Amino acid sequence: MTPAELSSTVLHAVRRAVDAGELDVTVPARAVVAPPGPGGCGDYATNIALQLARSAGQPPYRVAEVLRPYLVGVDGVADVVLTGPGFLNISLGGAAPAALVEEILSAGTRYGHADAPDAPDAPDAPDAPDAPDNSVVGLHCPHDLRAVVVADAVARVLRCQGALVRVTAEGFDREWTAALGVRVDGVGPAPASPPVTVRPVPAPADPLPLGRDAARWALLHPAAHDRPRIGDEHLAQREGNPLFRVRYAHARSRALTRNAADLGFAAEPGPVPDAPQELLAALGDHPRVLAAAAAHRAPDRIARHLVAVADAALPFLPAVLPRGGEKPSAAHRARLALAEAAGTVLAGGLTLLGIDAPDHL
């Protein structure tokens, strides 16, 4: 069960409690699930009881007690423990990571795309991108390199969510296409049909000397209202460079696949008892992040999410392959599948940002 599916399960539990007359509340549009905080337990926790307490006219802990029976026994949920003022801590069955990994590897770099097979819902992105009803989303930007790069990335993300997009700019330099891979569909004043104006804070210096990948990262990683830093730190091959960590984690995952093949085994999704919950949560959250980035025209959300995935994956990767005289086992195959899933999400996200995901780094 992915976090998106678990969120839907929590909402279904609320709906069942309302239908049974145990709660008198309006079923909310979303339920947040996240790794448990201090004092919590299990795989995920939700504060839905605290969210509903006031409208229910009951203490949060009592609301949590009402909801617990509707979650316990649901397929994929192993146990639910109440902690603190009313947090529901949910333990998933052992196959949950395997299902998530299998879903990611099946979809490939299109995992999280609206048109990908079995694309999960994104419960916390109600402002979904314009529905694919043959209407065109218009993006218009000034004659500014960062604005054009951001518009190009927004267009990529919107298209992955099924929208048709047209990008126009007040001015466009041909070298921008050759250097950064951006393109626009029209040059001139804003179209008569009011488009979405893309006007981020301009870059303080010319990013072109950084090269395509580092320049795009430098312009896209900060939020649109933040001034980007344009410097050699984006080229540094060290942990302090977020772009390096993301690409390094992807390259490491690809290297593990090659090394496993040399040892005579391949990835196979399965239970991973020592799987980092932060990594599973980040992978499962990827579809929601893509939908939210499209809805809010904010590719920086994807960049920051990729950093979170890489930071959760890197400590896990050294434990994937057999050590010493160990023989490859089902556990090694399952760990390798999880590592490949992490690499797949990183590659897919980088591609949406227009950045290369090299197999060797």
Side-chain angles (χ1 to χ4, degrees), residues 131-156:
D133 58 358
N134 293 325
S135 59
V136 177
V137 181
L139 302 174
H140 185 73
C141 49
H143 184 199
D144 172 72
L145 177 56
R146 189 186 185 200
V148 172
V149 170
V150 171
D152 178 78
V154 170
R156 292 167 184 256

Side-chain angles (χ1 to χ4, degrees), residues 81-93:
V81 176
L82 276 57
T83 60
F87 291 102
L88 290 154
N89 296 260
I90 303 169
S91 297
L92 301 178

